[in-house]
Amino acid sequence: MRGRAVYEPASLSKGHKLLREERDNVLQFIIKRILYMIPTLLLISIITFAIIQLPPGDWLTTYVMTLEAEGVPVSPEQIEILRTRYGMNQPFHVKYFNWMKGIVLEGDLGYSFEWNKSVNELIWSRIALTFVVALCSMLFTWIVAFIIGVYSSLRPYSIGDYIATFVGFIGLATPSFMLALILMWVSLEVFGVNYTGLFSPEFVGVPWSFAKVADMAKHLPIPIIVVGTSGTAGLIRILRANLRDELGKPYVTTARARGLAYTKIVLKYPLRIALIPFVSTAGWQLANLVSGEMIVSTVLSLPTTGPLLLSALKSQDMFLAGSFIMIISALTVVGTVVSDIALAALDPRIRYE
């Protein structure tokens, strides 16, 4: 009894110590990844602001050229007054410092010269709609790719596998804007409904309500399919190849020889390892969906960030374009951190590397 009384507390203490070390490792891993974000975002902001100003001229140059094309003369004195008013005659580091100071201290992303409005006023509603489209597209991508990828790997060289492979290659080869035009034509000719935009005309500009949400849900399938198709095709091929590779390894053969259920074997080990690419690509996939819907949103007339970003880049509206690029870059960085943490949970060995 005495030996047992001494042994149990020691065992419990050792177990608690291991749990505490595991928890500390997880916290250190998460803190390290979050701290990496700060210099990364700072460097991205500098590069972003520099790239926006690389082309010759600025928004004022474009504005003056537009006025002169319309027959409105602009004197050099007026140009200089406007340049001083909007701070365009300041050196690069001063403009960058003022922009970052407004973002960090006040949450102010700057002023849009083209729209004559605050950038905050312009982008947040569009960012929210863009995020909804991108998130739904990512869920569509994962669900469809997971189902088809697992089926193709478990039923290789079957009719279903060949069909999935063919559809996957078609999805990779078809440009998104062409797929958007095809689906628009099908919806109009076959179903007699024009599903361009995210809302019907009667719901544009009105406050949010259940009816408006339901109307948006009716318009979402086409953007989701168009934006998510190329990513779905790629993930299907990745999951199929990885899972086929895992199923051919000796530990799976040994487990099957010992009489373990095939479904249980697949779900417990090979599928878990094969899902690593799903998690590891989540960091950049969301940002790719947000930035990649620029042409699609223009074709489908979506009130998302795409058309506004395209217009800002064309007119060299530096604060508006820079803010969009910064948000997309921040999404990439944050998404990468989240995917790293999820990847560490899926494969604990990563925490110790």
Side-chain angles (χ1 to χ4, degrees):
M1 294 294 292
R2 180 177 300 175
R4 183 179 178 183
V6 172
Y7 174 75
E8 285 185 353
S11 176
L12 289 173
S13 175
K14 185 177 180 181
H16 289 158
K17 184 178 179 181
L18 290 174
L19 288 174
R20 188 165 55 250
E21 289 178 354
E22 179 69 14
R23 183 188 62 193
D24 292 342
N25 285 330
V26 173
L27 288 175
Q28 288 176 7
F29 180 83
I30 294 173
I31 292 171
K32 188 186 297 183
R33 288 297 186 273
I34 292 175
L35 289 177
Y36 284 159
M37 289 174 54
I38 299 173
T40 303
L41 288 174
L42 182 62
L43 182 61
I44 287 172
S45 68
I46 297 173
I47 296 174
T48 297
F49 202 73
I51 289 175
I52 292 300
Q53 300 187 69
L54 277 180
D58 49 30
W59 171 83
L60 189 57
T61 305
T62 306
Y63 179 65
V64 171
M65 289 175 61
T66 303
L67 290 178
E68 291 178 345
E70 295 174 353
V72 180
V74 182
S75 65
E77 292 77 12
Q78 290 175 313
I79 295 175
E80 191 59 34
I81 291 171
L82 289 172
R83 196 174 295 279
T84 304
R85 175 184 174 186
Y86 290 117
M88 293 181 180
N89 55 353
Q90 296 175 340
F92 170 82
H93 67 278
V94 175
K95 289 188 286 188
Y96 170 77
F97 178 77
N98 290 335
W99 184 51
M100 288 304 298
K101 184 175 70 172
I103 293 176
V104 174
L105 299 181
E106 303 173 9
D108 183 11
L109 294 171
Y111 190 80
S112 170
F113 306 127
E114 181 183 8
W115 294 84
N116 200 24
K117 289 182 180 180
S118 168
V119 172
N120 292 27
E121 187 180 346
L122 284 170
I123 69 171
W124 288 120
S125 60
R126 289 177 177 259
I127 285 288
L129 291 175
T130 303
F131 187 78
V132 169
V133 174
L135 185 61
C136 292
S137 300
M138 190 164 64
L139 292 176
F140 167 82
T141 299
W142 281 358
I143 292 171
V144 174
F146 177 81
I147 295 173
I148 297 178
V150 171
Y151 174 83
S152 296
S153 59
L154 296 180
R155 301 284 189 275
Y157 312 115
S158 62
I159 295 177
D161 181 32
Y162 285 125
I163 293 174
T165 301
F166 175 76
V167 172
F169 283 128
I170 291 295
L172 284 171
T174 306
S176 297
F177 70 88
M178 184 180 294
L179 183 60
L181 292 173
I182 292 171
L183 291 179
M184 286 169 59
W185 179 84
V186 170
S187 66
L188 184 61
E189 292 294 325
V190 177
F191 301 103
V193 181
N194 184 10
Y195 277 141
T196 56
L198 285 179
F199 304 102
S200 300
E202 61 270 21
F203 289 102
V204 175
V206 302
W208 284 96
S209 63
F210 180 78
K212 185 173 182 177
V213 173
D215 182 70
M216 184 177 72
K218 290 192 301 183
H219 288 76
L220 274 176
I222 290 180
I224 289 173
I225 293 172
V226 171
V227 175
T229 297
S230 60
T232 302
L235 283 179
I236 288 173
R237 307 309 302 162
I238 292 173
L239 179 59
R240 183 187 185 281
N242 284 358
L243 191 52
R244 288 296 303 159
D245 182 62
E246 286 298 318
L247 291 175
K249 289 186 176 178
Y251 75 90
V252 177
T253 306
T254 303
R256 295 192 68 182
R258 291 188 175 185
L260 293 177
Y262 187 60
T263 304
K264 184 177 180 180
I265 297 171
V266 172
L267 293 177
K268 191 169 184 181
Y269 295 111
L271 183 59
R272 183 176 177 180
I273 297 172
L275 283 176
I276 289 177
F278 269 60
V279 179
S280 62
T281 57
W284 50 263
Q285 191 175 47
L286 182 58
N288 277 356
L289 290 172
V290 172
S291 59
E293 56 85 43
M294 183 186 297
I295 299 177
V296 173
S297 60
T298 304
V299 172
L300 293 176
S301 302
L302 303 180
T304 53
T305 58
L308 199 59
L309 175 57
L310 182 61
S311 175
L313 291 172
K314 288 168 61 178
S315 65
Q316 296 181 272
D317 194 351
M318 61 180 179
F319 294 124
L320 182 57
S323 298
F324 272 127
I325 296 174
M326 268 295 297
I327 290 171
I328 293 171
S329 303
L331 277 175
T332 305
V333 174
V334 173
T336 302
V337 171
V338 172
S339 66
D340 284 346
I341 295 171
L343 200 59
L346 193 64
D347 189 355
R349 294 171 298 177
I350 294 173
R351 298 199 293 265
Y352 301 100
E353 292 181 355

